[in-house]
Amino acid sequence: SPTPTTVYCGNDGGLFRSAGNGGTWVARIAGTLQTALFYNLAARPDNGGTVLLGALQDNGIQTTAGAASPGWNSPQGGDGWDIAFDGGTASRAYGTSGFWSPAPCTRVWRSDNNGASWPTEVTPWGTTTDQGCYLASITCDPSAAGRVYVSGNQNLWQSQDGGGTWRNIGAFPGN
């Protein structure tokens, strides 16, 4: 119609409003409405699940460690894809994330402080296998410290020492 129309757009960055003025968008509830797309969540394996970790589309890997409830800290950007706490070391976690450059695009990280920082890259593949950007799944053996499994886009990898060394335990048929 000839009269302006107000349009709202909600996404993982917040809630925005346009008053029909040619595409000018204004943040409507920026910072006060928690919006995000969680791919995966993990709870610290203690009696109360005292720390939560989240892998979020476009918003990296986030943690409740050190954040005032209901807040989250975002120590790592990019696309967070999957997250898992170690089965025997409660403060250790592993996460996969993507859109890193240079290759490999998909990488694996380790945190030893409940996800407050992710300083240690433990990606098992190089630039010749399992390259590309994809949601790499990760999990840990709940009864063995340091035993972690991660899927590339061609192989399944296992580490028994917290990501220090990896072995390929199986290839996926096809690509």
Side-chain angles (χ1 to χ4, degrees), residues 7 53 58 68 104 142 159 162:
V7 177
L53 296 174
D58 296 334
S159 175

Side-chain angles (χ1 to χ4, degrees), residues 133-151:
C133 286
Y134 50 88
L135 282 123
S137 297
I138 194 163
T139 193
C140 295
D141 185 329
S143 61
R147 190 168 298 152
V148 59
Y149 299 86
V150 64
S151 66

Side-chain angles (χ1 to χ4, degrees), residues 48-102:
T50 57
V51 176
L52 297 177
L53 296 174
L56 290 82
Q57 179 202 8
D58 296 334
N59 291 292
I61 296 173
Q62 297 197 20
T63 180
T64 60
S69 182
W72 292 75
N73 287 327
S74 181
Q76 187 185 58
D79 270 303
W81 285 334
D82 203 1
I83 199 82
F85 271 100
D86 191 273
T89 308
S91 61
R92 179 175 285 172
Y94 305 90
T96 61
S97 63
F99 292 100
W100 296 98
S101 181

